[in-house]
Amino acid sequence: MTPLIVLTLVLVWQAVLVGYTFTLAGNAADEGVRAGTAAPRGDARQAACSAAGLKHLSKAWRGDAKVNCSPSGYVTADVYLKVPVLFPGVISFPATVHGHAGAVEEVKR
């Protein structure tokens, strides 16, 4: 019975890590798009978006993270994170979790 209990706990823990990675990806996309709407178009927007998207990620998730932002108009941010296997920061699944957010560009006057 003990191996079945341990296996169940491991599977539940892995499910928690998958859910938490989805939450982190969504939050990073929200933070990135928020910073991207206030930044000027072009490379400055991508830099601000990436920095804001990665700011609140811990080292375990930041290592393989990718943040892409649209250059102009309706600003979108896409964040891709890898799901760790049991222990964050050690190894990750090859599949990625995708977070997406969008907002209208702020008008500069």
Side-chain angles (χ1 to χ4, degrees):
M1 190 67 172
T2 303
L4 186 60
I5 292 170
V6 170
L7 178 64
T8 302
L9 289 174
V10 166
L11 292 175
V12 167
W13 175 245
Q14 188 59 51
V16 167
L17 285 176
V18 170
Y20 186 57
T21 304
F22 270 102
T23 301
L24 287 175
N27 183 59
D30 288 340
E31 293 290 331
V33 81
R34 187 175 298 123
T37 58
R41 293 181 181 194
D43 291 338
R45 175 170 290 165
Q46 178 63 38
C49 183
S50 293
L54 297 174
K55 181 178 178 182
H56 297 292
L57 292 177
S58 68
K59 184 179 177 184
W61 277 272
R62 191 181 308 141
D64 295 324
K66 294 179 186 170
V67 180
N68 299 322
C69 297
S70 63
S72 64
Y74 183 73
V75 181
T76 60
D78 293 295
V79 177
Y80 300 93
L81 300 177
K82 295 207 179 221
V83 178
V85 178
L86 296 182
F87 302 104
V90 180
I91 59 173
S92 299
F93 286 115
T96 58
V97 169
H98 176 237
H100 177 79
V104 178
E105 184 177 49
E106 291 182 12
V107 177
K108 307 288 185 207
R109 294 179 190 222

